[in-house]
């Protein structure tokens, strides 16, 4: 049975932002911090960066932290814009 779509909120009650306009976000769930709960990663169209919303709850009942940008060894991780 499919559930209705819902707008996600962070632990503080702010809505999860899925983009800065001008394109489509590519959200995915992945366990970035290897704690057993999937975190939300959202692509940013304009500059190719990724926002990470860490799951502070559980897999069954996620609670997302305020966003941070995904980092790489040399700064912010991004998709090359060409």
């Amino acid at each position: 049975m499919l559930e209705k779509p819902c707008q996600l909120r962070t632990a503080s009650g702010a809505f999860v932002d899925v983009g800065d306009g001008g394109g489509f976000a590519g959200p995915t769930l992945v366990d970035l911090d290897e704690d057993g709960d999937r975190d939300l990663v959202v692509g940013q169209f304009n500059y190719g960066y990724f926002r990470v919303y860490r799951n502070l709850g559980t897999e069954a009942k996620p609670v997302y932290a305020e966003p941070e940008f995904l980092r790489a060894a040399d700064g912010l991780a991004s998709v090359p814009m060409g």
Side-chain angles (χ1 to χ4, degrees):
M1 176 179 194
L2 295 175
E3 293 189 30
K4 292 181 182 179
C6 65
Q7 197 163 16
L8 300 175
R9 293 180 182 258
T10 64
S12 70
F15 286 112
V16 169
D17 183 7
V18 294
D20 293 330
F24 298 98
T28 191
L29 295 168
V30 61
D31 187 6
L32 286 176
D33 50 13
E34 299 180 346
D35 65 354
D37 300 317
R38 293 183 295 171
D39 307 299
L40 176 64
V41 179
V42 179
Q44 180 190 37
F45 182 78
N46 284 343
Y47 301 105
Y49 299 124
F50 299 92
R51 284 193 186 100
V52 175
Y53 296 82
R54 299 212 183 265
N55 184 354
L56 305 175
T58 65
E59 188 68 20
K61 190 163 185 157
V63 175
Y64 296 105
E66 295 302 312
E68 58 191 65
F69 282 108
L70 184 64
R71 300 201 62 83
D74 59 348
L76 296 179
S78 67
V79 174
M81 304 301 287

